[in-house]
């Protein structure tokens, strides 16, 4: 299967995510606050938790000095429902604590209010 | 559908109670103190919740919105049936555990009894796979022994649960509890409550606290061994639940070396501490650090026996370990032991 409609654009408000199927594969479709769509394999790289049961949130960043918190990147981070690992939606699904690890991702295009993903 | 192809005895499953669920099992006037006098549980932790759904896996919240572990049918579906558990040991505590409650021993004792009755009726009697833990309020030792006498002979009660907090359980004051356990073929399961890991205080961050939980487990093991509990009660077993396991070789070496030098102070110890450990102590695997196959095999070799580790998931908590993903590949014999046989050998009341 090359490409497939996974949901309608109206199915997701900015800042939300949902699970869908790409062929037999469970995928998670995320919409960031700027309205863009992203798609990843719906399985955490750690122990395989279903990511759509987690949370889209912001992050406290690595620019912080000890004792300082800067909350930013709102709506751009997926936090896993189990052990809480954070994945950067806008940076290829890379893990914040170890950017060498990333979630397998899919290409996304929008046609006639349909969210289509393809390999 | 069962996802695994090997037998699993899960040594740490947390069923969860809401206080309102045990009210009907609670004696008066304690029920009155909760329903009419606003008694509420005490909580200590000064941190943000660690994960997306507090201390639970976010996908373990029940379909009707109750916290993970509250519903047997949902637990069966998500855990026991899906993974294909052979047996599971229930280890929930009231939060805090009755033995960790401050003051008012009578309330703690009454809550422990209500909890035990609730656990038997709502969980143990309803699923053949589930075995249970006797809750006690050990600070009132004699009442705790009465409770062990009351429910300890239930065929599905396999251990007495003691929290790891700020009481050192090897103290001779608590030995009559161990005597009662031995009498009923109950092991001791120790699980941390909210132990003060920084010299009796909270560190600034949860991540520090959680990193150092194994130190609280090490303290209890050291204390139980050197206070002679295992020499006095040779049929007693202790299982350390949810402290991970990579600390085990270090503590064995350290205790043996100290024993060689300082034995004169604890003449009741007739065996090397590491031998006592091998013969009477088990350790659950979760939360497992991510080890390679070689690192894991070498660690087991350093323990000098492959009969200490018992697999556990800690369902439904956030730091759950998946039976297929948490531990590295290992040879089939070792796998059988860690995932089922060690726990079966440990608990006399678990079917073989
Ligand atoms: S399974 Fe996602 S953080 Fe562990």
């Amino acid at each position: 299967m090359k490409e497939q409609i996974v949901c309608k654009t109206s199915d997701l408000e900015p800042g939300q995510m949902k699970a869908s199927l790409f062929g037999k594969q469970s995928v998670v479709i995320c919409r960031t606050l700027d309205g863009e769509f992203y798609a990843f394999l719906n399985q955490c790289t750690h122990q395989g938790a279903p990511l759509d049961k987690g949370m889209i949130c912001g992050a406290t960043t690595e620019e912080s000095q000890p004792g300082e918190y800067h909350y930013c990147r709102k709506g751009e981070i997926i936090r896993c429902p189990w052990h809480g690992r954070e994945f950067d939606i806008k940076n290829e699904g890379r893990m914040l604590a170890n950017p060498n690890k990333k979630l397998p991702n899919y290409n996304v295009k929008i046609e006639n209010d349909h969210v289509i993903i393809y390999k | 559908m069962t996802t695994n192809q090997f037998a699993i005895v899960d040594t740490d499953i947390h069923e969860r109670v809401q206080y309102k669920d045990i009210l009907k099992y609670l004696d008066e006037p304690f029920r009155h103190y909760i329903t009419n006098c606003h008694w509420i549980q005490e909580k200590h932790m000064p941190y943000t919740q660690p994960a997306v759904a507090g201390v639970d896996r976010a996908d373990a919240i029940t379909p009707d919105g109750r916290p993970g572990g509250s519903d047997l049918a949902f637990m069966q579906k998500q855990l026991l049936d899906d993974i294909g558990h052979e047996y599971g040991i229930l280890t929930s505590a009231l939060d805090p555990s009755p033995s960790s409650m401050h003051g008012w021993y009578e309330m703690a004792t009454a809550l422990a009894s209500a909890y035990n009755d609730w656990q038997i009726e709502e969980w143990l009697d309803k699923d053949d796979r589930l075995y249970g833990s006797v809750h006690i309020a050990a600070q009132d030792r004699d009442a705790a022994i009465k409770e062990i006498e009351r429910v300890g002979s239930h065929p599905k009660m396999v251990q007495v649960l003691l929290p790891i907090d700020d009481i050192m359980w090897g103290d001779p004051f608590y030995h009559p509890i161990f005597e009662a356990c031995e009498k009923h073929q109950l092991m001791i399961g120790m699980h941390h409550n909210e132990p003060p890991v920084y010299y009796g205080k909270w560190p600034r961050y949860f991540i520090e606290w959680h990193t150092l939980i194994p130190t609280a487990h090490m303290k209890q093991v050291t204390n139980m061994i050197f206070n002679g509990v295992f020499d006095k009660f040779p049929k007693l077993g202790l299982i350390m639940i949810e402290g991970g396991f990579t600390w085990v070789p270090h503590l064995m070496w350290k205790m043996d070396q100290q024993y060689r030098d300082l034995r004169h102070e604890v003449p009741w110890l007739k065996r090397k501490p590491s031998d006592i450990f091998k013969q009477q102590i088990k350790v659950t695997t979760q939360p497992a650090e991510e080890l390679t196959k070689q690192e894991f095999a070498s660690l087991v070799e350093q323990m000098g026996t492959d009969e200490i580790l018992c697999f556990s998931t800690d369902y439904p908590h956030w730091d759950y370990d998946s039976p297929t993903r948490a531990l590295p590949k290992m040879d089939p014999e070792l796998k059988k032991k860690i995932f089922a046989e060690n726990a079966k050998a440990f608990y006399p009341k678990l079917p073989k």
Side-chain angles (χ1 to χ4, degrees):
Chain A
M1 183 174 310
K2 279 269 161 58
E3 60 176 57
Q4 189 186 325
I5 298 173
V6 285
C7 64
K8 290 208 200 111
T9 52
S10 56
D11 289 345
L12 280 178
E13 294 293 324
Q16 293 183 332
M17 63 178 161
K18 71 182 295 242
S20 183
L21 283 174
F22 181 62
K24 288 194 181 127
Q25 201 63 259
S26 178
V27 293
V28 58
I29 318 298
C30 310
R31 191 169 189 190
T32 48
L33 296 184
D34 57 9
E36 297 291 321
F37 288 85
Y38 298 83
F40 303 95
L41 186 66
N42 190 17
Q43 235 183 58
C44 183
T45 52
H46 178 214
Q47 291 192 19
L51 292 167
D52 69 295
K53 298 286 198 298
M55 166 194 277
I56 289 196
C57 55
T60 46
T61 63
E62 70 248 33
E63 284 95 53
S64 294
Q65 297 302 309
E68 275 176 23
Y69 292 101
H70 297 295
Y71 190 65
C72 57
R73 311 289 312 279
K74 266 197 185 167
E76 296 179 11
I77 307 295
I78 304 175
R79 193 148 189 244
C80 176
W82 290 3
H83 313 96
R85 295 188 182 191
E86 302 160 287
F87 299 94
D88 188 337
I89 297 172
K90 283 192 169 289
N91 186 15
E92 303 176 290
R94 290 182 189 277
M95 195 173 129
L96 295 192
N98 177 6
N100 295 326
K101 290 232 182 235
K102 56 179 186 171
L103 300 172
N105 55 13
Y106 300 86
N107 299 310
V108 179
K109 62 183 179 186
I110 309 295
E111 280 175 14
N112 304 325
D113 294 338
H114 287 132
V115 181
I116 296 167
I117 70 176
Y118 58 103
K119 259 300 194 191
Chain B
M1 194 189 69
T2 295
T3 47
N4 83 289
Q5 305 302 323
F6 48 98
I8 290 184
V9 178
D10 183 346
T11 51
D12 188 20
I13 300 177
H14 292 280
E15 82 287 13
R16 152 95 46 71
V17 79
Q18 324 271 348
Y19 278 91
K20 66 177 167 40
D21 300 329
I22 52 167
L23 284 180
K24 71 170 171 167
Y25 299 97
L26 192 62
D27 289 339
E28 294 290 16
F30 300 100
R31 193 191 309 175
H32 160 73
Y33 291 134
I34 293 181
T35 43
N36 305 322
C37 305
H38 314 289
W39 180 87
I40 49 166
Q41 69 193 81
E42 48 173 343
K43 286 299 293 171
H44 317 289
M45 247 197 216
Y47 307 114
T48 179
Q49 294 294 324
V52 170
V55 294
D56 291 332
R57 271 171 52 168
D59 60 341
I61 295 169
T62 65
D64 58 1
R66 283 174 296 150
S70 308
D71 187 83
L72 174 61
F74 189 66
M75 179 193 285
Q76 287 167 330
K77 180 163 166 265
Q78 187 169 50
L79 183 76
L80 306 174
D81 300 346
D82 183 52
I83 289 173
H85 279 50
E86 187 177 5
Y87 301 117
I89 314 292
L90 296 179
T91 51
S92 175
L94 282 162
D95 192 11
S97 154
S99 297
S100 268
M101 285 172 55
H102 294 133
W104 211 8
Y105 295 3
E106 295 87 346
M107 175 59 110
T109 300
L111 282 170
S113 293
Y115 191 93
N116 290 330
D117 291 339
W118 171 84
Q119 185 190 179
I120 290 169
E121 205 164 298
E122 314 265 339
W123 297 80
L124 304 186
D125 287 354
K126 288 188 177 162
D127 191 307
D128 290 345
R129 293 164 291 192
L130 294 177
Y131 284 75
S133 304
V134 176
H135 288 57
I136 55 172
Q139 58 277 51
D140 185 342
R141 182 193 67 191
D142 297 340
I145 291 168
K146 270 198 203 129
E147 185 62 11
I148 296 172
E149 294 294 340
R150 191 180 73 87
V151 292
S153 56
H154 187 282
K156 295 185 86 189
M157 284 294 194
V158 295
Q159 66 189 355
V160 166
L161 206 57
L162 289 174
I164 299 172
D165 199 332
D166 56 1
I167 299 174
M168 303 308 290
W169 297 115
D171 189 295
F173 175 77
Y174 300 105
H175 291 193
I177 290 177
F178 303 135
E179 192 181 334
C181 289
E182 222 182 24
K183 178 173 156 199
H184 289 287
Q185 294 193 296
L186 297 167
M187 302 290 106
I188 294 289
M190 279 196 197
H191 187 295
H192 48 273
N193 194 57
E194 290 178 356
V197 294
Y198 268 20
Y199 316 110
K201 291 190 190 150
W202 291 104
R204 273 177 73 146
Y205 303 107
F206 181 90
I207 193 169
E208 295 175 77
W209 178 74
H210 206 252
T211 298
L212 290 172
I213 286 174
T215 64
H217 287 241
M218 292 164 73
K219 287 170 192 160
Q220 292 288 355
V221 168
T222 307
N223 176 255
M224 292 280 281
I225 288 181
F226 288 129
N227 278 266
V229 173
F230 301 105
D231 294 274
K232 204 160 160 186
F233 306 104
K235 292 212 253 349
L236 188 74
L238 168 67
I239 183 164
M240 302 305 292
I241 304 166
E242 208 183 331
F245 55 90
T246 51
W247 50 273
V248 172
H250 161 70
L251 191 63
M252 283 178 157
W253 291 324
K254 179 52 85 184
M255 286 191 297
D256 281 358
Q257 176 260 328
Q258 295 286 295
Y259 178 70
R260 282 188 288 270
D261 300 349
L262 302 173
R263 187 219 55 85
H264 74 147
E265 189 188 15
V266 286
W268 44 82
L269 244 65
K270 304 291 186 253
R271 294 166 285 170
K272 274 195 303 188
S274 63
D275 285 339
I276 295 175
F277 203 127
K278 287 175 198 166
Q279 287 154 9
Q280 290 179 261
I281 302 178
K282 305 279 181 218
V283 175
T284 70
T285 50
Q286 182 273 346
E289 290 102 346
E290 287 157 279
L291 301 181
T292 63
K293 189 177 174 205
Q294 289 73 18
E295 286 164 346
F296 183 76
S298 137
L299 200 73
V300 172
E301 197 188 330
Q302 289 169 35
M303 292 177 196
T305 170
D306 55 8
E307 294 179 352
I308 288 177
L309 300 183
C310 300
F311 177 75
S312 60
T313 60
D314 191 35
Y315 178 91
H317 289 165
W318 68 280
D319 46 349
Y320 170 87
D321 266 351
S322 154
T324 52
R325 300 282 295 266
L327 296 174
K329 284 206 182 356
M330 60 188 93
D331 81 50
E333 280 311 303
L334 179 62
K335 189 163 181 171
K336 268 195 213 156
K337 284 189 164 177
I338 291 178
F339 280 86
E341 285 173 11
N342 290 348
K344 286 186 192 174
F346 176 68
Y347 291 111
K349 291 166 77 175
L350 211 56
K352 301 301 170 231

